[in-house]
Amino acid sequence: MQTVANYFLMNLSAADLFMSVLNCMFNFIYMLHNDWPFGAVYCTISNFMANVTISASVLTLMAISFDRYIAIVKPLEPRMSKTTARVFILIIWSSSMLLALPCILYSDTVSIQYKNNEVRRGCILRWPDGQTSISKHEHM
């Protein structure tokens, strides 16, 4: 069962599991109540882990596609080794964390006061040039 394809599938499963455990329920509660009760620290962790796990999933699917492409296009050449697959997985997680680094720097909680003196908190990314809705950095 320890094949290159299974290594990549296990990595994909781990990324999805991390997304489910560390992000989904918290964001569901946030969207349900329109309030972020988990604090500023977990706001940063949640945004960071969401971006890390999604990019790890995408990059793992790309690695699986690359492995399949090589197997089909060059069937007589040696296949990817298990060590190479482990290195790919390490590169996938490292680059995912690097891509998600802005979430650590710019995640923030904001408090919004309504007319009836109700205060709700939000967990957002506050970019250097403004909030998400007007930021040009978010799209780069």
Side-chain angles (χ1 to χ4, degrees):
M1 292 298 293
Q2 293 184 4
T3 63
V4 170
N6 285 346
Y7 280 167
F8 286 135
L9 289 175
M10 185 63 192
N11 191 51
L12 185 62
S13 299
D16 291 342
L17 180 66
F18 286 141
M19 178 63 144
S20 298
V21 170
L22 298 173
N23 195 273
C24 287
M25 184 55 82
F26 300 99
N27 278 330
F28 176 73
I29 292 169
Y30 176 46
M31 295 298 160
L32 185 65
H33 298 293
N34 290 328
D35 186 41
W36 182 262
F38 308 110
V41 173
Y42 198 74
C43 173
T44 302
I45 293 170
S46 178
N47 284 333
F48 177 73
M49 287 308 295
N51 283 283
V52 166
T53 56
I54 288 171
S55 60
S57 292
V58 170
L59 293 174
T60 301
L61 289 171
M62 286 176 56
I64 292 170
S65 299
F66 177 73
D67 180 49
R68 296 288 85 215
Y69 172 79
I70 295 299
I72 292 169
V73 173
K74 300 177 182 181
L76 300 178
E77 289 189 14
R79 301 271 312 270
M80 184 185 300
S81 70
K82 294 175 191 175
T83 304
T84 307
R86 289 184 195 123
V87 170
F88 261 84
I89 290 170
L90 186 66
I91 291 170
I92 285 169
W93 283 98
S94 299
S95 58
S96 296
M97 288 181 192
L98 186 65
L99 287 170
L101 192 61
C103 293
I104 291 177
L105 302 173
Y106 301 117
S107 288
D108 197 13
T109 55
V110 293
S111 295
I112 303 164
Q113 187 164 358
Y114 292 93
K115 291 179 183 177
N116 59 357
N117 290 329
E118 180 183 7
V119 177
R120 293 188 180 175
R121 294 150 302 198
C123 176
I124 63 168
L125 288 171
R126 189 177 288 181
W127 298 101
D129 65 339
Q131 289 185 4
T132 301
S133 58
I134 60 170
S135 173
K136 295 187 181 12
H137 285 139
E138 182 179 30
H139 304 292
M140 294 181 186

